[in-house]
Amino acid sequence: MRLGALEAGGTKMVCAVGNEHGEIVDRISIPTETPEITVPKLISYFAEKEIEALGIGCFGPIDLNRNSKTYGCITTTPKLAWKNYNMAGTFKEALHIPVGFDTDVNGSALGEATWGITKGLENSMYITVGTGVGAGIIANGKVLHGMLHPEGGHLLLAKHPKDTFEGTCPYHKNCLEGLAAGPAIEARWGKKGFELADRSEVWELEAYYIAQALVDYIMVLSPQRIVLGGGVMHQEHLLPLVREEVKRQLAGYIETTELDHIEQYIVLPSLNDNQGIMGALKLGLDEYQLEKIG
Ligand code: ADP
Ligand code: ZN
């Protein structure tokens, strides 16, 4: 079966064609400009690919409530040209096929849970620490949406007593994204993350904040495994620091086999940066099954 996948990001749109086994046979990347410029290019790519369904993993916030008049739309994004844009509806109308729609990070969580390192687990999480921070949650075998969709990047954190940096989030002074995403690292230390590789204090503070968020996710959601992706996690020494700090902050309160093997509990993505686009394939497949099979 031929399926389309779109990973819609703030800087680029990745379009791919694949199948129900998560195999990708074609892919292109198109810069994200305004909807008027970009969307016709995306539609003309998919229109000639003979796909039976499309899945979209999209930057957000987005409306995922199927009973809402604005289902499938991007809502309050700071990327103003895309505010209130009817993403799912536009593709459905143009291509006349089922269109699955979810957040980009939920797509990555679904990709790993279907074909990657969280496959077979009923409860898992995928967290990306990049330009922003996002968290996708698989709960009882399904992507968790709830009222809107989780916004785990904006989890409020206790500031490190020695950290005088204000945080970059315009909404919250002390949320995970504002204190620990790539732009926060750059604003706090005056250099990009990859230029700070040998500054241990940078990564100790980074691990302190990421671990604090993970401890909160663990307490509330009890995931069986946590995947940490995104550009900032390319710092190889960061992951071991996060694992150590999670153990320290949990302070022995929770004892499980998973936590005894923390190097298998908090892990990097396993799909060579294809988790997002493969997750979008699965979103398309699921929507196809919902519409055609019920
Ligand atoms: P996006 O979040 O835009 O999809 P990425 O996940 O690649 O993209 O994240 C980009 C962010 O990650 C930037 O802020 C960048 O500075 C940071 N970053 C990328 N590579 C590294 C690295 N090796 N070490 C630390 N930070 C990095
Ligand atoms: Zn915030």
Side-chain angles (χ1 to χ4, degrees), residues 11 128-132 182-183 192-194 203 230-232 234-235:
T11 49
T128 175
V129 187
T131 307
K192 286 193 182 299
F194 72 89
W203 307 107
V232 173
H234 290 154
Q235 286 294 321

Side-chain angles (χ1 to χ4, degrees), residues 154 169 171-172 175:
H154 293 267
C169 177
Y171 296 90
H172 322 106
C175 70

Side-chain angles (χ1 to χ4, degrees), residues 129-130 160 179-212 228-246 249:
V129 187
H160 190 286
L179 292 172
I185 298 175
E186 190 176 346
R188 181 190 285 108
W189 303 100
K191 281 183 183 173
K192 286 193 182 299
F194 72 89
E195 297 169 310
L196 294 161
D198 54 355
R199 297 268 301 272
S200 60
E201 70 275 25
V202 172
W203 307 107
E204 278 159 21
L205 186 65
E206 186 68 12
Y208 173 82
Y209 286 129
I210 295 173
Q212 207 182 126
L228 276 179
V232 173
M233 294 311 299
H234 290 154
Q235 286 294 321
E236 282 176 13
H237 46 285
L238 181 56
L239 183 65
L241 292 175
V242 170
R243 289 174 179 146
E244 243 173 68
E245 189 61 19
V246 164
Q249 293 187 23

Side-chain angles (χ1 to χ4, degrees), residues 11-268:
T11 49
K12 65 179 195 291
M13 300 280 180
V14 179
C15 306
V17 178
N19 62 27
E20 71 275 30
H21 308 297
E23 291 154 353
I24 292 162
V25 296
D26 190 62
R27 166 197 323 241
I28 59 159
S29 176
I30 292 171
T32 303
E33 297 175 71
T34 62
E36 292 72 28
I37 297 172
T38 307
V39 172
K41 295 181 189 169
L42 304 175
I43 288 173
S44 71
Y45 172 81
F46 288 117
E48 54 191 39
K49 294 292 184 296
E50 296 179 341
I51 52 175
E52 289 180 77
L54 172 68
I56 305 175
C58 188
F59 65 84
I62 59 179
D63 187 347
L64 294 176
N65 176 1
R66 289 180 186 267
N67 298 320
S68 157
K69 277 193 189 132
T70 51
Y71 170 75
C73 293
I74 297 170
T75 59
T76 53
T77 178
K79 301 173 210 1
L80 290 178
W82 295 84
K83 198 171 154 116
N84 302 324
Y85 188 74
N86 186 354
M87 198 72 176
T90 302
F91 284 90
K92 202 170 160 61
E93 206 167 282
L95 300 169
H96 309 288
I97 52 174
V99 174
F101 188 59
D102 214 317
T103 65
D104 43 9
V105 70
N106 280 349
S108 295
L110 187 62
E112 288 289 349
T114 309
W115 290 295
I117 198 153
T118 50
K119 186 176 170 184
L121 299 177
E122 287 277 292
N123 300 283
S124 63
M125 285 192 75
Y126 184 99
I127 297 143
T128 175
V129 187
T131 307
V133 179
I137 296 157
I138 308 286
N140 299 330
K142 282 185 155 178
V143 178
L144 182 70
H145 287 165
M147 170 182 73
L148 169 78
H149 46 75
E151 277 288 347
H154 293 267
L155 198 71
L156 304 184
L157 302 178
K159 288 274 294 276
H160 190 286
K162 289 191 182 147
D163 186 15
T164 53
F165 179 64
E166 268 241 307
T168 56
C169 177
Y171 296 90
H172 322 106
K173 289 216 181 326
N174 60 321
C175 70
L176 174 62
E177 177 170 304
L179 292 172
I185 298 175
E186 190 176 346
R188 181 190 285 108
W189 303 100
K191 281 183 183 173
K192 286 193 182 299
F194 72 89
E195 297 169 310
L196 294 161
D198 54 355
R199 297 268 301 272
S200 60
E201 70 275 25
V202 172
W203 307 107
E204 278 159 21
L205 186 65
E206 186 68 12
Y208 173 82
Y209 286 129
I210 295 173
Q212 207 182 126
L214 297 199
V215 166
D216 288 352
Y217 301 141
I218 291 167
M219 297 301 190
V220 176
L221 297 160
S222 206
Q224 293 161 288
R225 182 168 286 157
I226 297 174
V227 186
L228 276 179
V232 173
M233 294 311 299
H234 290 154
Q235 286 294 321
E236 282 176 13
H237 46 285
L238 181 56
L239 183 65
L241 292 175
V242 170
R243 289 174 179 146
E244 243 173 68
E245 189 61 19
V246 164
K247 282 220 143 182
R248 193 186 69 79
Q249 293 187 23
L250 279 171
Y253 182 67
I254 297 179
E255 287 183 358
T256 62
T257 322
E258 287 87 345
L259 288 169
D260 283 343
H261 300 94
I262 200 155
E263 67 294 338
Q264 290 163 42
Y265 182 64
I266 302 172
V267 297
L268 295 176

